[in-house]
């Protein structure tokens, strides 16, 4: 901080000594004209005397600005600057009119930014509230449609068109759930409960819930849970991740061809790996590094209209927040394996 203070006044110090040197030179010329001489000790004494007054002035100036400079130096080296930092500087008593004018400008800018941030936060809250309410309202007709389909299957003879309606209704339901989970990501930490979770139990529940889709698509699930064990996670959010990976496997597996989706667990040292493997179209190598980017659909997205580009982004984001690791391995034309790695007994500890 002292070094910075002196650097700012370096030009003034150099000018001061240059001026002192010129005064000594002028005095020497005057003495020479008067047939007298100014000797070296006198010149050195004059230089020392002026240096003393310069040092005293610099010390007084530094002490006057020390509190303000220390506060400014601390704020400048913080990783993030609070929007009320101008009030901290104001409390340190700006030492000059220039500093006061700069501080007034800084306060005005911060107040404008604060008002804009508050406006955007309110707009985001209203938008999120609307999305949540809209999704919940849409869930009601989805449930009603499901009930009507079940009743229709019991009374009508031609049930093929009911299966088509049911498939579209499932797509609608999954889209609503995806939108709702994406809207809740901003408040992830407020809706997190660390607990021991059985991922095999979650997989069984999801397979049972989606049995209609397995039957309609002609796909068979296989669950190998011999090495499964409880892991530290959040059951609700982990369920969202596994459900999204399951929906992807169902969507991209060969339809009505007796294909299989394999759910398996494997212990690796202190880690538990949970994999969902399908035998579907696979992911081209050029697209694989970007599959977790938001809105990225890639080559498969052009072939399958169901792709939104947000499912894997949601799964990866939640897995990362939970302290788990998610990665994909894929062979085009042979299938894709999505693997979740649980690496500790403590949430967020890897």
């Amino acid at each position: 901080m002292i070094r910075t203070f002196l650097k700012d006044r370096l030009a003034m110090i150099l000018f001061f000594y240059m001026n002192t040197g010129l005064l000594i030179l002028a005095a020497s010329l005057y003495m020479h004209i008067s047939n007298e001489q100014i000797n070296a000790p006198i010149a050195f004494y004059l230089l020392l005397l002026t240096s003393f007054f310069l040092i005293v002035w610099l010390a007084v100036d530094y002490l006057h600005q020390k509190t303000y400079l220390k506060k400014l130096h601390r704020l400048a080296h913080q990783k993030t600057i609070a929007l009320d930092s101008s009030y901290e500087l104001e409390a340190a008593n700006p030492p000059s009119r220039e500093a006061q004018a700069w501080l007034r400008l800084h306060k005005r800018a911060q107040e404008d930014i604060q008002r804009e941030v508050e406006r955007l936060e309110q707009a985001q809250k209203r938008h999120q509230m609307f999305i949540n309410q809209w999704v919940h309202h849409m869930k009601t007709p989805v449930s009603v449609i499901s009930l009507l389909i079940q009743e229709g299957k019991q009374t009508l003879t031609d049930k093929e068109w009911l299966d088509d309606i049911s498939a579209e209704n499932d797509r609608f339901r999954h889209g609503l759930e995806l939108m709702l989970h994406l809207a809740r990501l901003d408040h992830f930490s407020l809706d997190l409960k660390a607990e021991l979770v059985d991922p095999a139990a979650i997989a069984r529940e999801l397979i049972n819930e989606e049995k209609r889709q397995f039957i309609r698509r002609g796909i068979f699930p296989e669950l190998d849970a011999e090495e499964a064990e409880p892991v530290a996670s959040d059951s609700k959010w982990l369920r969202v991740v596994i459900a999204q990976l399951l929906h992807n496997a169902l969507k991209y597996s060969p339809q009505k061809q007796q294909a299989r989706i394999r759910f398996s667990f494997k212990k690796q040292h202190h880690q538990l790996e949970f994999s969902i493997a399908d035998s579907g179209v696979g992911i081209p190598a050029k697209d694989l590094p970007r599959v977790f980017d938001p809105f990225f659909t890639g080559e498969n997205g052009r072939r399958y209209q169901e792709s939104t580009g947000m499912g894997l982004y949601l799964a990866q984001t939640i897995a990362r927040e939970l302290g788990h690791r998610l990665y994909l391995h894929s062979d085009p034309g042979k299938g894709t394996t999505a693997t979740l790695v649980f690496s500790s007994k403590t949430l967020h500890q890897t």
Side-chain angles (χ1 to χ4, degrees):
M1 189 172 64
I2 296 177
R3 185 181 300 175
T4 303
F5 174 82
L6 293 176
K7 282 182 179 180
D8 286 341
R9 288 152 181 80
L10 182 60
M12 188 272 295
I13 294 172
L14 292 175
F15 178 78
F16 178 86
Y17 278 114
M18 188 179 353
N19 187 51
T20 301
L22 289 174
L23 288 175
I24 294 174
L25 180 60
S28 298
L29 289 174
Y30 178 79
M31 297 290 286
H32 180 71
I33 293 172
S34 303
N35 295 320
E36 295 182 9
Q37 288 186 344
I38 183 170
N39 54 29
I42 295 176
F44 178 74
Y45 174 74
L46 290 174
L47 184 63
L48 186 63
L49 186 64
T50 54
S51 297
F52 171 76
F53 285 112
L54 174 63
I55 293 171
V56 169
W57 179 82
L58 288 173
V60 172
D61 188 33
Y62 175 75
L63 292 174
H64 179 58
Q65 301 192 41
K66 181 180 178 181
T67 303
Y68 179 80
L69 291 175
K70 186 180 292 186
K71 180 73 70 175
L72 188 63
H73 183 77
R74 183 179 63 81
L75 290 174
H77 287 79
Q78 287 181 348
K79 290 184 178 179
T80 58
I81 300 177
L83 286 177
D84 59 352
S85 58
S86 58
Y87 295 96
E88 291 188 50
L89 290 174
E90 190 175 31
N93 296 322
S96 66
R97 290 184 177 86
E98 182 183 357
Q100 291 172 2
W102 177 87
L103 188 56
R104 284 195 298 270
L105 181 63
H106 183 59
K107 281 180 63 177
R108 286 177 53 189
Q110 283 195 330
E111 288 170 358
D112 290 343
I113 293 173
Q114 182 67 43
R115 283 193 293 268
E116 183 66 15
V117 168
E118 290 174 356
R119 186 186 68 80
L120 292 174
E121 286 180 347
Q122 291 299 322
Q124 185 181 23
K125 287 179 181 179
R126 287 194 299 268
H127 176 73
Q128 186 172 2
M129 186 179 299
F130 168 77
I131 293 294
N132 290 339
Q133 290 179 349
W134 182 82
V135 171
H136 284 299
H137 285 314
M138 290 300 102
K139 279 188 171 182
T140 300
V142 168
S143 301
V144 172
I145 292 172
S146 297
L147 290 174
L148 292 175
I149 291 172
Q150 296 302 318
E151 291 178 4
K153 288 183 176 181
Q154 295 175 5
T155 57
L156 300 176
T157 54
D158 185 7
K159 301 178 182 179
E160 185 176 351
W161 61 277
L162 288 175
D163 290 334
D164 293 338
I165 294 176
S166 179
E168 294 302 316
N169 195 48
D170 284 338
R171 287 178 59 187
F172 188 25
R173 174 171 60 87
H174 294 150
L176 290 175
E177 289 175 352
L178 177 62
M179 182 180 294
L180 186 61
H181 293 315
L182 287 169
R184 289 175 175 171
L185 278 182
D186 290 337
H187 303 284
F188 184 90
S189 59
L190 301 178
D191 192 23
L192 182 65
K193 180 183 178 183
E195 56 188 342
L196 281 179
V197 180
D198 184 0
I202 294 177
R204 289 190 189 94
E205 291 174 5
L206 288 171
I207 291 171
N208 187 58
E209 286 181 10
E210 301 299 336
K211 61 183 178 182
R212 285 186 305 165
Q213 284 217 55
F214 278 104
I215 295 171
R216 184 170 63 247
R217 296 172 183 267
I219 299 172
F220 296 93
E222 293 182 352
L223 176 62
D224 180 6
E226 289 186 6
E227 297 188 41
E229 62 181 21
V231 295
S233 188
D234 179 290
S235 59
K236 185 178 75 173
W237 286 110
L238 181 59
R239 182 186 179 88
V240 173
V241 176
I242 297 176
Q244 187 57 54
L245 298 178
L246 171 57
H247 293 155
N248 274 17
L250 284 168
K251 181 166 53 179
Y252 295 116
S253 289
Q255 306 295 298
K256 298 182 180 180
Q257 297 182 28
Q258 310 299 311
R260 299 182 182 276
I261 297 177
R262 179 175 174 79
F263 303 79
S264 60
F265 293 85
K266 184 179 181 180
K267 291 181 182 178
Q268 291 281 8
H269 304 294
H270 299 292
Q271 297 181 341
L272 177 67
E273 295 183 357
F274 170 50
S275 299
I276 301 177
D278 63 62
S279 56
V281 295
I283 302 171
K286 64 178 182 178
D287 290 345
L288 198 57
R290 299 181 59 193
V291 292
F292 295 119
D293 294 345
F295 302 108
F296 179 76
T297 56
E299 193 173 304
N300 289 337
R302 300 181 182 91
R303 298 167 56 189
Y304 296 86
Q305 295 182 354
E306 297 180 48
S307 300
T308 63
M310 294 301 291
L312 286 176
Y313 164 75
L314 175 68
Q316 174 74 307
T317 301
I318 295 174
R320 185 169 56 246
E321 292 290 336
L322 292 174
H324 311 324
R325 187 162 58 93
L326 172 63
Y327 66 91
L328 299 183
H329 174 76
S330 185
D331 290 323
K334 296 182 179 180
T336 301
T337 300
T339 302
L340 261 175
V341 181
F342 307 96
S343 55
S344 76
K345 294 294 183 182
T346 304
L347 198 62
H348 295 298
Q349 179 183 332
T350 56

